Amino acid sequence: MTALLDTLRADLPEDAVTVDPALMDNYRYDWARDPAAGVPLAVVRPRTTAEVQATMRWAAANRIPVVPRGAGSGLSGGSSAVAGGIVLSMDRMRSVVIDPASRVAIVEPGALNVEVKAAARAHGLWYPPDPSSFEICSIGGNIATNAGGLCCVKYGVTTDYVLGMDVVLADGAVVRLGGARLKDVAGLSLLKLFVGSEGTLGVVTRAVLRLVPAQKPPSTLVATFGTVAAAAEAVVAITGQLRPAMLELMDGASINAVEDHISMGLDRSAGALLLAQSDVGGAAAVNEIAVIANACKASGAREVFSTDDPAEGEAFAVARRAAFPAIESRGSLMLEDVGVSIPLLPALLAGIEDIAARNDIEIPTVAHAGDGNTHPIVVYNAADPESVARARLAFDEIMALAIALDGTITGEHGVGRLKKDHLPAQLGPEAMALSHRIKDALDPLGILNPGAVL
Amino acid sequence: MTALLDTLRADLPEDAVTVDPALMDNYRYDWARDPAAGVPLAVVRPRTTAEVQATMRWAAANRIPVVPRGAGSGLSGGSSAVAGGIVLSMDRMRSVVIDPASRVAIVEPGALNVEVKAAARAHGLWYPPDPSSFEICSIGGNIATNAGGLCCVKYGVTTDYVLGMDVVLADGAVVRLGGARLKDVAGLSLLKLFVGSEGTLGVVTRAVLRLVPAQKPPSTLVATFGTVAAAAEAVVAITGQLRPAMLELMDGASINAVEDHISMGLDRSAGALLLAQSDVGGAAAVNEIAVIANACKASGAREVFSTDDPAEGEAFAVARRAAFPAIESRGSLMLEDVGVSIPLLPALLAGIEDIAARNDIEIPTVAHAGDGNTHPIVVYNAADPESVARARLAFDEIMALAIALDGTITGEHGVGRLKKDHLPAQLGPEAMALSHRIKDALDPLGILNPGAVL
């Protein structure tokens, strides 16, 4: 092994290769904390595309698995280390350059989402994709998972903002795809194929991201409903009339978890709460909030509050944001990410309630309701093997339920290693076979993130 | 050949296979009128996915080329018939079903873009992609080329609206990808790979399209500038502050062509004209038009007109729409589709002017300026071989210029057969090799639209 690593070290700067077990431990897990994560042979931390190429050439020559890694905030185990493999951490490649006239950011994959947003803001521009983890997640990871967030109900997901990238392939070749061009249909859509591929097809070392004009200060509305079905009816009515800049849902269990944690005076008997924002500004925002309020009332909302004061709106949003810490205080969590079409949200949430009851476990749910993307949060006691077993069962049952409702097992977190076994049930044998054909064509040795996704 | 076709006929309804030369002639060409289009063996017009599968199974067994075809309005020869091959016309698969609660349209590929728009409108919904040919182009063709249009400066292109599809692969297997889910990252982005693949990877037989709330009546602004550079400066200023619903440019040559054709009182001495629309409605639209007007004035606009009356705005838009018929009256046309980043628009348009002068040929240009996507229109005399030769040279030089400016040879029309020879210069050998690996993995016999794109 030492001789093998010496050949890698020969092609890289002295400090690029880490084998210290204590240091490597920081690169073994992502937020899924997969207990099956292996002990890697080494962690490589390149500073340039050329160093990524050298690593991949060495890995290909020696058939060593490589797990590309951004900030490690993934929730599906997509960057869990593989025993005897390389963790290829992009945390030293973090430059962000804004071209305001072309309205693009040229970024390295280790740059955090929040850093890109801040750099764009300095030019009056905005990078919309906003996963809840935006302060700690990397752009490379966002591209790998095609990350979403709260504003994608109006502004789309990561793939909608990737105009170009440099990708190092499994054999070490580098390919430049796309560029600072808003429309380009020359050749196959290779760019889009790499977005969401979770490090299984190549390693992104540079991305050209589309920026848009800064968002206006939002107006905010909160409404409570007796049932999830009533709230979902409001969501259908709202999204058929306008595009809200945010449309989040909390179910009764998550409302109560928040009230238990920080008393905010939320209605504990409510079956659901909707949080909506409009960012069109001025009189138009007043109109949009009125349309949203009317849709809520027509769907039987119990109470509707709204404000055009961004600070007050932010206070309303605190409840939604408090959901995770509130639920975290109740035990260990398995975070789901299932989605369905909006009209099926009530069926999904009723099914989740049933799964919780049958397995005698708590599953509060928050949702990006405007996209039909939900985060049921399975709460369990990590010290109690029986609780863990029940939680695992519930976690699996929720994915099966989503598939039965013609939905998806993951709307924005990725398949990683945690959901891999459920992917064939969603995609079917033909799409799985097609995926393997693509994977085999691009990574014939199977060294890129083996064990993830496929 | 008769025996061979008999085996195909055996698997299809009686009227699905046409060999009548006169009838087949209607399916040999698209709007590129490629003189190299071959005489096909037969035209197949399936009514179901199963019939498409039967055709592909037969073609794979007999290694017969298949050219999938929508409405034949393509501009790059992507559906020119191949000698001895099958033209697989989707013109009998045209159903459109709207699911208003899920906000999707479920369509067959032969449905026209305008038919999808109309069906959506009946439910207060909107299918945004709007190629200029929207009244005569098919959704299948739109997906094949990842078609754009005038509103994509704000609303994106076809790929942004494709949520799901059924695709028949080269071997006749059918794969269902995606569905009525707004966010879904389960597995590789296979869906996006087929969008823009111009019939070289599979045949789309059903698509699930995202719909959005109906657009509000637009407010419209027209501004004239002394130079293209001044207009481009305005475009950069506008798009840095807001997202116009339309932002079109006409250069001096196209202004004069329109004035020659229908006298509208346009300023013949203007170097460029911008046509912008806002669709946010009410006071917000007044604000947006004011921002656009100020940006135009600050960039040295000579004259600025605006209106919030949609009918008057439509009259303003007539000049832009009159450009094609006006230019068509001057001779035969080769329609370009090159794009660059917005700050490079002046360099691109100056270069085109230079190419026109050097080749002693007219090349008026209209552009989706907000996307940096331009349509230089090479005018020539089809009866004069020397004029044809100069036009071809100019056509090629424009693509070379776009590539030199880090741009694209096609923003929305596709590569087809007309631009195939120029693709390697844009993509480079690595991306070409990668494209071939994907193509070979999905169509190992090379029977799907051979000669197009790659």
Side-chain angles (χ1 to χ4, degrees):
Chain A
M1 279 304 146
T2 314
L4 188 60
L5 279 177
D6 283 347
T7 62
L8 173 62
R9 282 203 189 87
D11 289 335
L12 293 171
E14 178 127 6
D15 66 348
V17 182
T18 301
V19 293
D20 179 305
L23 284 174
M24 287 205 300
D25 215 46
N26 298 326
Y27 295 89
R28 272 184 68 196
Y29 303 96
D30 60 19
W31 278 24
R33 303 292 307 170
D34 183 359
V39 177
L41 183 63
V43 174
V44 175
R45 300 173 66 206
R47 286 195 175 83
T48 64
T49 297
E51 291 173 23
V52 174
Q53 291 185 266
T55 306
M56 290 311 306
R57 274 194 294 260
W58 173 88
N62 297 287
R63 302 206 171 205
I64 303 290
V66 174
V67 177
R69 179 186 178 92
S73 60
L75 293 161
S76 302
S79 52
S80 301
V82 169
I86 295 293
V87 173
L88 184 58
S89 172
M90 310 308 284
D91 59 356
R92 282 175 169 166
M93 294 181 66
R94 287 178 69 155
S95 86
V96 178
V97 176
I98 306 294
D99 175 348
S102 296
R103 275 182 295 128
V104 299
I106 296 142
V107 306
E108 288 184 326
L112 301 186
N113 180 299
V114 70
E115 294 169 341
V116 177
K117 281 187 195 298
R121 194 182 306 118
H123 294 274
L125 295 170
W126 180 37
Y127 177 67
D130 61 343
S132 296
S133 57
F134 75 98
E135 287 169 304
I136 55 163
C137 64
S138 72
I139 288 294
N142 291 176
I143 293 173
T145 56
N146 190 15
L150 279 69
C151 76
C152 47
V153 60
K154 180 166 181 175
Y155 292 99
V157 294
T158 300
T159 194
D160 302 318
Y161 294 88
V162 180
L163 297 176
M165 57 167 74
D166 291 357
V167 196
V168 176
L169 303 178
D171 62 3
V174 63
V175 182
R176 176 157 290 187
L177 303 170
R181 304 180 285 271
L182 299 180
K183 278 162 73 183
D184 185 355
V185 298
L188 300 177
S189 304
L190 300 175
L191 193 65
K192 299 277 188 188
L193 179 63
F194 286 100
V195 180
S197 64
E198 302 192 40
T200 64
L201 301 182
V203 183
V204 178
T205 60
R206 175 182 175 272
V208 181
L209 304 176
R210 179 178 195 157
L211 305 175
V212 297
Q215 192 178 27
K216 290 189 188 129
S219 299
T220 305
L221 175 147
V222 179
T224 54
F225 298 83
T227 63
V228 167
E233 191 188 306
V235 171
V236 170
I238 293 163
T239 55
Q241 293 175 83
L242 55 82
R243 300 189 75 171
M246 183 195 290
L247 190 50
E248 298 288 306
L249 180 148
M250 294 171 66
D251 74 350
S254 63
I255 292 169
N256 277 284
V258 168
E259 273 302 296
D260 287 350
H261 189 59
I262 45 165
S263 187
M264 299 193 60
L266 298 176
D267 178 0
R268 281 180 177 278
S269 71
L273 175 155
L274 284 185
L275 172 69
Q277 289 194 329
S278 162
D279 67 349
V280 294
V286 173
N287 286 345
E288 284 204 348
I289 292 292
V291 168
I292 296 170
N294 287 339
C296 290
K297 285 170 194 161
S299 304
R302 290 180 181 179
E303 290 189 283
V304 177
F305 306 94
S306 67
T307 176
D308 59 4
D309 174 4
E312 201 181 354
E314 179 53 31
F316 286 177
V318 163
R320 165 65 180 85
R321 235 147 327 96
F324 281 97
I327 296 165
E328 212 164 22
S329 73
R330 300 172 90 83
S332 295
L333 308 183
M334 292 185 195
L335 186 53
E336 269 288 8
D337 180 38
V338 294
V340 291
S341 70
I342 295 169
L344 294 178
L345 273 176
L348 179 66
L349 271 69
I352 291 166
E353 229 173 278
D354 179 55
I355 289 168
R358 273 194 292 101
N359 291 289
D360 186 24
I361 207 154
E362 275 186 62
I363 313 181
T365 298
V366 295
H368 307 309
D371 287 323
N373 178 207
T374 74
H375 295 311
I377 305 168
V378 182
V379 185
Y380 65 101
N381 177 357
D384 173 3
E386 217 186 285
S387 169
V388 175
R390 291 202 308 274
R392 286 222 181 103
L393 189 60
F395 192 79
D396 289 351
E397 286 180 359
I398 291 170
M399 282 189 275
L401 171 64
I403 293 170
L405 294 170
D406 196 26
T408 179
I409 59 172
T410 176
E412 57 183 9
H413 294 169
V415 173
R417 289 172 175 80
L418 231 58
K419 298 193 156 186
K420 189 179 71 152
D421 293 344
H422 294 265
L423 188 63
Q426 179 180 333
L427 296 194
E430 297 83 6
M432 286 300 293
L434 188 59
S435 304
H436 280 289
R437 277 156 79 175
I438 302 280
K439 168 74 173 171
D440 292 345
L442 267 63
D443 178 19
L445 302 176
I447 56 173
L448 272 169
N449 214 3
V453 188
L454 295 173
Chain B
M1 278 303 145
T2 313
L4 187 60
L5 279 176
D6 283 347
T7 62
L8 172 62
R9 281 204 190 86
D11 288 337
L12 292 173
E14 177 127 6
D15 67 347
V17 183
T18 302
V19 293
D20 180 305
L23 283 174
M24 289 207 297
D25 215 46
N26 297 326
Y27 295 88
R28 273 184 69 195
Y29 303 97
D30 61 17
W31 278 24
R33 302 292 309 170
D34 183 359
V39 177
L41 184 62
V43 174
V44 176
R45 301 173 65 206
R47 287 196 175 81
T48 65
T49 297
E51 290 174 23
V52 175
Q53 290 185 268
T55 307
M56 289 311 306
R57 273 194 295 261
W58 173 88
N62 297 287
R63 302 205 171 205
I64 303 290
V66 174
V67 176
R69 179 186 179 93
S73 61
L75 292 161
S76 301
S79 53
S80 301
V82 168
I86 294 293
V87 173
L88 185 58
S89 171
M90 310 308 284
D91 59 355
R92 281 176 170 167
M93 295 180 67
R94 287 177 69 153
S95 87
V96 178
V97 176
I98 305 294
D99 175 348
S102 296
R103 274 181 296 126
V104 298
I106 295 141
V107 305
E108 288 184 327
L112 300 187
N113 180 300
V114 69
E115 294 170 341
V116 177
K117 281 187 194 298
R121 193 182 307 119
H123 295 274
L125 296 169
W126 179 38
Y127 177 67
D130 61 344
S132 296
S133 57
F134 74 98
E135 289 170 301
I136 54 162
C137 63
S138 73
I139 288 294
N142 292 175
I143 293 173
T145 55
N146 189 15
L150 278 68
C151 76
C152 46
V153 61
K154 180 166 182 175
Y155 292 98
V157 293
T158 301
T159 194
D160 302 319
Y161 294 87
V162 180
L163 298 176
M165 56 168 74
D166 292 357
V167 195
V168 176
L169 303 178
D171 62 3
V174 64
V175 181
R176 175 157 291 189
L177 303 171
R181 305 180 283 271
L182 298 181
K183 279 162 73 182
D184 185 356
V185 299
L188 300 178
S189 304
L190 299 175
L191 193 64
K192 298 276 188 187
L193 179 63
F194 285 100
V195 180
S197 63
E198 303 192 40
T200 63
L201 301 182
V203 183
V204 177
T205 60
R206 175 183 176 271
V208 182
L209 304 176
R210 180 178 195 157
L211 304 176
V212 296
Q215 192 179 28
K216 291 187 187 130
S219 300
T220 306
L221 174 146
V222 179
T224 54
F225 298 83
T227 64
V228 167
E233 192 188 305
V235 171
V236 170
I238 293 163
T239 55
Q241 293 176 82
L242 55 81
R243 301 189 74 171
M246 183 196 290
L247 190 49
E248 298 288 306
L249 180 148
M250 294 170 67
D251 73 349
S254 63
I255 292 170
N256 278 284
V258 168
E259 273 303 297
D260 287 351
H261 189 60
I262 44 165
S263 185
M264 298 194 61
L266 299 177
D267 177 358
R268 282 180 176 275
S269 72
L273 175 155
L274 283 184
L275 173 68
Q277 288 194 327
S278 162
D279 66 349
V280 294
V286 174
N287 286 344
E288 285 203 348
I289 292 292
V291 169
I292 295 170
N294 288 336
C296 290
K297 286 171 194 160
S299 303
R302 290 181 179 177
E303 290 189 283
V304 178
F305 306 93
S306 68
T307 177
D308 58 4
D309 174 4
E312 202 181 352
E314 178 54 29
F316 285 178
V318 163
R320 164 67 179 84
R321 233 141 337 91
F324 282 98
I327 296 165
E328 214 165 20
S329 74
R330 300 173 90 83
S332 295
L333 309 183
M334 290 185 196
L335 186 52
E336 268 289 5
D337 180 38
V338 295
V340 291
S341 69
I342 295 169
L344 295 179
L345 273 177
L348 179 65
L349 270 69
I352 292 166
E353 228 172 278
D354 179 54
I355 289 168
R358 272 194 292 103
N359 291 289
D360 186 23
I361 208 156
E362 274 186 63
I363 314 181
T365 298
V366 295
H368 308 309
D371 287 323
N373 179 207
T374 73
H375 296 311
I377 304 168
V378 182
V379 185
Y380 65 101
N381 177 357
D384 173 4
E386 218 186 287
S387 170
V388 175
R390 290 202 308 273
R392 286 221 181 104
L393 189 60
F395 192 79
D396 290 350
E397 285 180 359
I398 291 170
M399 282 189 273
L401 171 65
I403 293 170
L405 293 171
D406 196 26
T408 179
I409 58 172
T410 176
E412 57 183 9
H413 294 169
V415 173
R417 288 172 175 80
L418 230 56
K419 298 193 158 189
K420 190 180 69 152
D421 293 344
H422 295 264
L423 188 63
Q426 179 180 334
L427 297 193
E430 297 82 7
M432 285 300 294
L434 188 59
S435 304
H436 279 290
R437 277 156 80 175
I438 302 280
K439 168 73 175 173
D440 292 345
L442 267 63
D443 178 20
L445 301 177
I447 57 173
L448 273 168
N449 214 2
V453 188
L454 296 173

